[in-house]
Every structure is written in C-alpha cells, then in structure tokens.
Amino acid sequence: MKILHVTPELAPWSKAGGLGDATAALAKALGASGHDVKAVTPLYGSVPGRERMSVLMPSLRVGVGGPPEKAACRVLSLQASKGFEAWFIEHDDYYGAKEVYPARADFAERAAFYARAALDACLASGWIPDVIHCHDWTAGLVPPLLNTVLKESPLGGAVSVLSIHNLQHQGVAHRGIMDFLGLPGWLWQPSELECLGGVNFLKGGVLHAARVITVSPTYAREILTPAFGHGLEAVVRRRESALEGILNGVDTDEWNPRTDRLIAAPFSPRSMKGKEECRLALAREFGLRDDPKAPPIFGVVSRLWDQKGLDLAAAALPSFLRDGRLRFVLLGSGDGGLEGAFRALAAGFPSLCGVRIGLDHGLSHRIEAGSDFFLMPSRFEPCGLNQMYSMAYGTPPVVRATGGLADTVRPWSPGATDATGIVFEHADLQGVEWAIGRALELFSDPKAYRKVQLNGMRTEFSWKLSADRHVTAYRAAGAHG
Ligand code: ADP
Ligand code: GLC
C-alpha cells in the first residue's frame, strides 16, 4: 500500500511533543512491514542534517492564493528507513524559524501551505498514495481539499484518514484561509468548517476524513463527551461509526534500556544492576542526596501545560519533601507560572528536588532510566508515550486513569500480581496525594515493587502491532493495495 503521512512533527527532525515520536515511529513500522511510505513535513529552521538530504523538487508551485512568489517551495527528501522516505517542505518565510509552533499571525497559512504542498508534491512526482493519513489540526483541511478541489485529480481516489493526537488544539483561523486554499464557499457553514466565526481545521478533518483515529481506545470514547470534547464532541459524535482508538507504541531502537547509549549503564529484567547506577548518576546530576538511605526518586519529563496536571503535583509535593519521603526531578518547559513554581520547589528543597527548564533529549532518557517512579497526573491524555517508556525502563508510572494512561497501565493494589503502576481516578490534590502515598507504600515492599517493575519491562508496546491495526483501519476505510 502507498501511504502518505502529512504531519507537522517528525522526530528526530522536529518534535514539540509525542506527535513527532508517534508519526515517525508509525511511518517506520509501516515501511518495515513492506508498505511504501512517505511523510511530508515542514523544514523548520531547527531541522538537523539537511546536508544529507537531496533536492527532490527545486521549485514546486503550490496551489494556494496570495502572491505568486510566495506560492512556491523546494522539496527535499531523505530515505529515513526501509520503505519510509521523508519529504521536507522548504519555505523560509513560513518555516525558517526554529520553533514548530511559533506564535505568529500567519499560523493558518503556515499549516495550510505545507499540507497543500504535500498533495502537490505527490501530483508533481506521480507518486499517488492509496492512503493520505493526516495528523492533528495542521493537516485538518487536507480531507476537505480531497473531497472538493482535488476530487477529480489523481488524488481524488485516495482514502483520507485523520489521527487526533490531541483534540484541544483545533486551529481556528480567519475565513480567508478558505480562499487561500480555494475551498468552495458552501463549506462555510456551521455544519461544515465554520466554528465560532472562524474556520476550524480539525473540525474539517473530522467531518471529511474517511476514518478518524485517536491514539487510544479510551480517548476515542472520552472525546464523545463534553468533558473531553473541547467543544467538538457533537462533531465527533457525528463520525462515531468511523471513529476508533489505536494505541501508539514504543520505538525500541530509541527507548531500550539494554542498548541505550544516553544512560549511565544498560540494564534488563535479568540484570537490574545498571538501573542502580542510573539512579545514582541521576541523583548526582541534579545534586541530590545519593546516600543508600535516600528516598525514592519520582521523575517527570513533560510539557508544562494544563493538560498534564502538574499544577496538582506542585501542590502535593511540598508536604512529602518536607517529611523527606521522596526525591523529585523534573525536566519540562511551557507555562511560565508552572516553571516558576517548580523552580521555587527546587530552591526550597535543594537536596531532594531538582528541576531543569528546557528541552533535553539525553536528560529525558536519564530521568526515565534513573527514577523509581514516573509521575503523569494528566487531566486528559490522548495516549501518552512517557508512561510506556518508563515501564520499559523499570520505572513504574503513577498516572491518572484517563485516555491512553488508563489503557496502558495496570493498577497496583496490595496483592495484585499483574500490576505495572499506580493508577488514580480524580484529577485533584487529594487524588495526587493518594497516588504518591500508594507508590511509597509499594516501594516499602521491595518484592512487590520489583514485581511491578518487571511486569512493566516485560509488557510489549509494539509499533508493529499499532501499524498492523492502522492498515486494518485503512482497509476498513476502503483503501486497496
Ligand atoms: P505530549 O505529546 O502530550 O507532550 P507524550 O507523552 O505523548 O506527551 O510525549 C512527550 C514526548 O516529548 C516524550 O518523548 C518526552 O520524552 C518528550 N518531552 C517532553 N518534554 C520534554 C523535554 N523538556 N525535554 C525532552 N523531551 C521532552
Ligand atoms: C499528543 C498527546 C499525547 C500523545 C501524543 C502522540 O501530543 O498529548 O497523549 O501520546 O500526541 O500521539
């Protein structure tokens, strides 16, 4: 099958969160299964390794409005892995900045341009996909384009699929974006793309894609409700029969404690000595207590965003730190208020709490490997990758029962034999306090704790399985090949 992914993030070239990991790993797994896969994405100023890319199209004319000199781009390409080629849309005005999502007035044109360029690159090269798989809001207007403007083109027969990685970000733009893309005027109505006086990219994708996928079965059910629908629940309900949840996986080439060169020492379920070294190294890296009696380390690697519930953690942690019951390390960035709250926490408890604000790929591996627990108190979590990485690294996650967290972590209670972490129900202070207390109770029983660690390490979260399920979904949507 020929499969095109249209995505704003593609790791390791670009990544703002798990979307970059997920699209790259899915494309790789589909390519490894014998499919012919391409992923098209912008060439941001921060994309590394461009000297290794080749020029696929020196000048591609893109079917958008606006000044003609702005409506062209270069397309670079790179063989990413077997069967998977990455195409990069180079347009310095739009993507020359380093950030994936800079706060800019032309955010809608940036998104619309690369998505249309992806389609025009296919038409110009003669590579016509069977499936066009769009990811999140930036690619949301691709399915309406395919159903209208491009219906009679060679791409009109392709099956469009939309993955919702996060329904919170919908991309609501000015009405003029429809003219920019040449979309017909009848799409401007509340039952179509119009939403609160603007054009809603994600709504367009949900309504027009042949199939809608979310990144976990629980999230697929949650987004049908007002509590998780971010105002689009009625729209999602209209597509309920075409909606399904497929879990992400773990890319074991990247996240594997046996082979990981970014951590202090390798380890595996058979030999956990390396994990001790990782823990000691992590404590030292953050200048924390590292004596044998030091309490367990709770780690966080996260965007600091309301979604992640870390304000609740910031409120819950001081009493545990005051009593010396745990150590805490955090790597993250985002909301300025939360960054300040965690910095203050580290300043208040320097021997027990360490905080790094920023993005740091190597440190994210060292936290996964060196912590005793991984904390994810998310208010909602479409899938979540970090809890799966932490299980692979023998670091039981402490998670709220929502979305992919509920689908991937098996809750511990005294006597449980198949548990892989701590799961709590309520996104409030008491919920987080209860969960941390529960984790400490587990840690105080070394045999039970080891069992939970090993259960997690032996659980398979395979991208192969996820890729196979995607192929089944493509076929259900009518794709051949
Ligand atoms: P989300 O996509 O909602 O942010 P996920 O759990 O799916 O959540 O994925 C987050 C990804 O981003 C993980 O690979 C995680 O390691 C990474 N990440 C998040 N914050 C940072 C950071 N500050 N530095 C390095 N990696 C980070
Ligand atoms: C989003 C979600 C996260 C998910 C990731 C990859 O960023 O917030 O839960 O794991 O996409 O699908």
Side-chain angles (χ1 to χ4, degrees):
M1 207 178 271
K2 292 198 184 85
I3 303 160
L4 170 73
H5 290 275
V6 184
T7 174
E9 298 178 34
L10 192 67
W13 299 282
S14 58
K15 164 168 164 171
L19 176 61
D21 288 352
T23 52
L26 176 59
K28 185 165 109 179
L30 288 166
S33 302
H35 299 286
D36 179 3
V37 184
K38 305 204 192 294
V40 185
T41 193
L43 187 77
Y44 305 108
S46 50
V47 170
R50 59 189 70 199
E51 65 287 348
R52 286 192 294 281
M53 298 175 184
S54 44
V55 178
L56 186 71
M57 294 172 204
S59 178
L60 172 72
R61 170 96 187 92
V62 179
V64 294
E69 65 283 2
K70 226 184 154 181
C73 62
R74 270 206 321 170
V75 184
L76 306 185
S77 77
L78 186 83
Q79 191 65 40
S81 57
K82 183 180 155 270
F84 161 32
E85 192 182 355
W87 286 359
F88 295 89
I89 303 301
E90 183 186 56
H91 189 299
D92 281 347
D93 280 359
Y94 285 133
Y95 315 118
K98 286 196 159 53
E99 304 94 324
V100 175
Y101 307 107
R104 288 172 40 152
D106 66 349
F107 74 95
E109 282 84 359
R110 282 178 93 243
F113 183 88
Y114 96 90
R116 177 67 213 234
L119 304 177
D120 286 329
C122 292
L123 290 169
S125 68
W127 186 82
I128 302 301
D130 302 300
V131 176
I132 300 183
H133 189 157
C134 308
H135 295 272
D136 271 357
W137 75 266
T138 64
L141 293 185
V142 167
L145 270 174
L146 293 170
N147 288 350
T148 57
V149 180
L150 294 168
K151 183 113 197 87
E152 303 308 323
S153 80
L155 291 175
V159 160
S160 63
V161 173
L162 174 79
S163 271
I164 302 175
H165 296 261
N166 194 327
L167 193 67
Q168 185 174 37
H169 308 289
Q170 299 174 7
V172 180
H174 52 89
R175 159 85 171 77
I177 202 69
M178 287 181 54
D179 302 328
F180 183 72
L181 284 172
L183 287 167
W186 63 265
L187 288 176
W188 178 253
Q189 50 176 313
S191 62
E192 282 288 340
L193 310 188
E194 188 185 347
C195 184
L196 304 173
V199 173
N200 186 314
F201 277 59
L202 196 62
K203 183 181 179 192
V206 170
L207 289 176
H208 282 264
R211 199 150 186 98
V212 181
I213 294 173
T214 68
V215 282
S216 68
T218 294
Y219 193 60
R221 289 190 297 276
E222 287 173 338
I223 60 175
L224 299 167
T225 68
F228 294 89
H230 295 283
L232 278 195
E233 59 276 7
V235 175
V236 178
R237 277 203 299 273
R238 276 168 64 190
R239 299 306 315 284
E240 194 173 348
S241 61
L243 172 72
E244 73 175 302
I246 302 177
L247 275 178
N248 291 327
V250 171
D251 181 350
T252 48
D253 292 338
E254 162 79 22
W255 294 95
N256 182 346
R258 291 176 192 80
T259 54
D260 192 334
R261 289 168 183 275
L262 299 169
I263 62 177
F267 58 94
S268 69
R270 285 170 162 221
S271 160
M272 293 290 278
K273 218 178 122 277
K275 177 137 180 113
E276 281 304 308
E277 285 180 49
C278 291
R279 185 177 192 240
L280 199 61
L282 183 66
R284 291 189 178 152
E285 181 167 358
F286 278 94
L288 307 185
R289 266 182 65 183
D290 64 358
D291 52 282
K293 291 226 161 99
I297 302 178
F298 285 65
V300 168
V301 179
S302 186
R303 292 184 292 122
L304 300 180
W305 198 253
D306 182 62
Q307 171 190 348
K308 302 293 177 181
L310 288 163
D311 51 317
L312 303 173
L317 284 164
S319 74
F320 290 97
L321 289 164
R322 222 172 284 125
D323 298 344
R325 298 179 68 198
L326 53 79
R327 289 174 288 174
F328 177 73
V329 297
L330 174 140
L331 167 65
S333 66
D335 178 85
L338 266 179
E339 290 181 357
F342 282 111
R343 280 203 176 100
L345 199 65
F349 301 94
S351 65
L352 291 174
C353 176
V355 166
R356 293 273 188 286
I357 301 301
L359 293 171
D360 186 332
H361 184 63
L363 183 55
S364 72
H365 281 242
R366 296 195 292 281
I367 290 178
E368 295 283 8
S371 301
D372 298 299
F373 291 99
F374 194 89
L375 187 57
M376 272 180 99
S378 305
R379 292 196 164 82
F380 70 94
E381 195 61 75
C383 179
L385 296 171
N386 275 310
Q387 82 281 10
M388 294 192 272
Y389 300 158
S390 77
M391 283 185 266
Y393 281 71
T395 305
V398 178
V399 304
R400 171 147 185 271
T402 184
L405 300 176
D407 291 340
T408 55
V409 184
R410 294 193 299 270
W412 179 76
S413 56
T417 54
D418 67 344
T420 56
I422 306 292
V423 182
F424 66 101
E425 290 291 332
H426 299 290
D428 54 25
L429 181 59
Q430 289 73 23
V432 177
E433 283 175 344
W434 178 86
I436 294 175
R438 189 79 151 180
L440 293 172
E441 182 188 342
L442 169 61
F443 196 75
S444 69
D445 179 346
K447 250 177 92 183
Y449 175 74
R450 178 51 59 97
K451 176 94 181 111
V452 174
Q453 275 187 306
L454 296 182
N455 284 345
M457 293 178 88
R458 291 187 174 127
T459 304
E460 204 191 322
F461 296 106
S462 125
W463 270 111
K464 164 91 179 82
L465 188 63
S466 184
D468 290 348
R469 293 202 169 134
H470 278 90
V471 171
T472 306
Y474 300 157
R475 295 224 158 91
H480 304 289

